[in-house]
Amino acid sequence: MDLSGVFAQFLAILTTMLLAPLLMGWINQWRAWLQNRSGPGLMQPYRVLHKLFNKEVVLAETASPLFRFAPYAIFSCILLASAIIPTLSTGLPLSSAADAIALVGLFALARVFIALAAMDIGTAFGTIGARREMLVGFLAEPALLTVLFSASLIGQSTALTTIVDSLTQKKFAIYPSLVFAGIAFSFVLMAENARVPVDNPATHLELTMIHEALILEYSGRHLALLEWAASIKLFAYSALGLALFFPWGIAPGDKPWAMLFALPILMIKLAVGGFLIAVVETLSAKLRIFRVPEYLATAFLLAVIGMLTHILLGA
């Protein structure tokens, strides 16, 4: 195995683990500023993780081994999914073992584990949150797959690294199919990461919460792993969107030295993307849970239009 590829893979995983909480803190801070509030510090997610990892784990009497195992499985699935996304370089050894379809499968596997764990204790909040999470996933996954298929038609492959290489080697052009797919992807990103307008990560109201209801019974290091996994998932979706629709700056696989420039470019793109997420959350109102299917159906329809545009027009 190529040593440069191993180094690129290790650097991608390390970058994801370290920068994911920072991205979450950046979004939360901008969201507070845009709402004329004095928000938490940029490093607050790191402080929360440090505090939770040092707290004792408290388990319910009815908790099964699945409840204890789920945080580790969820964190592993999300981290593995992020490892096959070309964040800094396309020379990733894991990319040959998993393509875009496997990426969606890893996200789905993590969702199944968190839903089962939420129902394991038998509380009403956990069951409600699990049902809502599966509803969102049932509607968001087809839209995400269609977005990835639209991009794969341009790259003639479902491998993410091949798609990114193909897009970066082409002359700069605005593809109508990618415009529709990009709008649909932004809808899915907000839904899959429990952001407004689908969910509000800052609330604990039982009538509205989805993500918080799933992790309400966790504490200590288990809760730390779930919070860390949530930030990694947001980072992975952001990196995936940047790789598909703004791939410039990602180092080619045959030029590992280009990763020196890829890291600051990635941070700049993430900073802009995080700011836009905060703006969208500030300008949007949370939808009623019964309006979420319409929201995600719109995303799926836009993704299908994007795919049909490429098939019919070749653009």
Side-chain angles (χ1 to χ4, degrees):
M1 185 178 295
D2 187 10
L3 291 180
S4 62
V6 174
F7 175 75
Q9 187 71 75
F10 173 77
L11 185 60
I13 296 175
L14 184 64
T15 300
T16 299
M17 295 179 67
L18 294 180
L19 292 186
L22 184 63
L23 176 61
M24 187 71 74
W26 173 258
I27 295 174
N28 292 339
Q29 192 174 66
W30 266 108
R31 183 181 176 185
W33 288 345
L34 292 171
Q35 297 174 0
N36 293 322
R37 296 188 289 109
S38 179
L42 191 63
M43 308 302 289
Q44 183 62 26
Y46 296 100
R47 300 188 188 99
V48 172
L49 291 178
H50 179 267
K51 178 184 70 174
L52 292 176
F53 273 119
N54 286 278
K55 278 184 172 290
E56 183 181 358
V57 174
V58 179
L59 294 173
E61 295 180 355
T62 56
S64 71
L66 173 65
F67 187 81
R68 301 178 179 88
F69 173 72
Y72 302 98
I74 295 166
F75 183 84
S76 300
C77 289
I78 298 297
L79 186 61
L80 181 58
S82 67
I84 64 177
I85 298 173
T87 54
L88 299 175
S89 172
T90 57
L92 303 178
L94 288 179
S95 63
S96 60
D99 59 358
I101 301 175
L103 175 70
V104 179
L106 287 171
F107 285 135
L109 183 60
R111 175 179 292 108
V112 169
F113 272 111
I114 196 170
L116 290 176
M119 293 187 294
D120 184 73
I121 300 298
T123 60
F125 288 169
T127 303
I128 292 174
R131 292 169 63 184
R132 291 175 176 176
E133 176 69 13
M134 296 307 293
L135 171 66
V136 171
F138 173 77
L139 298 169
E141 287 169 7
L144 178 59
L145 276 172
T146 310
V147 168
L148 295 174
F149 288 154
S150 298
S152 68
L153 290 174
I154 297 177
Q156 298 296 314
S157 173
T158 57
L160 293 174
T161 53
T162 304
I163 295 173
V164 173
D165 276 331
S166 175
L167 291 174
T168 53
Q169 291 173 5
K170 292 180 179 293
K171 294 182 179 180
F172 176 77
I174 297 177
Y175 293 91
S177 58
L178 287 184
V179 173
F180 285 111
I183 299 173
F185 181 82
S186 64
F187 280 42
V188 174
L189 183 147
M190 303 301 282
E192 284 281 70
N193 290 280
R195 314 300 301 188
V196 178
V198 176
D199 191 14
N200 187 354
T203 185
H204 282 77
L205 297 176
E206 63 271 15
L207 296 179
T208 62
M209 62 184 179
I210 300 178
H211 175 72
E212 292 299 322
L214 295 170
I215 62 176
L216 203 58
E217 297 297 323
Y218 278 105
S219 61
R221 65 179 180 275
H222 292 161
L223 181 58
L225 286 173
L226 291 175
E227 294 288 1
W228 200 359
S231 63
I232 291 176
K233 184 177 181 180
L234 177 60
F235 183 93
Y237 266 86
S238 301
L240 177 61
L242 295 174
L244 292 178
F245 307 109
F246 304 96
W248 304 280
I250 298 178
D254 57 347
K255 298 179 181 178
W257 53 267
M259 286 189 291
L260 295 174
F261 305 98
L263 182 57
I265 294 175
L266 173 66
M267 295 184 68
I268 293 173
K269 292 193 290 186
L270 287 174
V272 176
F275 169 74
L276 294 178
I277 291 175
V279 170
V280 170
E281 287 193 296
T282 302
L283 298 178
S284 304
K286 186 187 177 303
L287 296 173
R288 296 175 60 190
I289 190 65
F290 299 109
R291 298 295 300 275
V292 173
E294 299 177 11
Y295 173 87
L296 291 173
T298 303
F300 178 72
L301 179 61
L302 289 170
V304 171
I305 292 174
M307 187 167 62
L308 293 177
T309 300
H310 181 81
I311 292 175
L312 297 177
L313 303 179

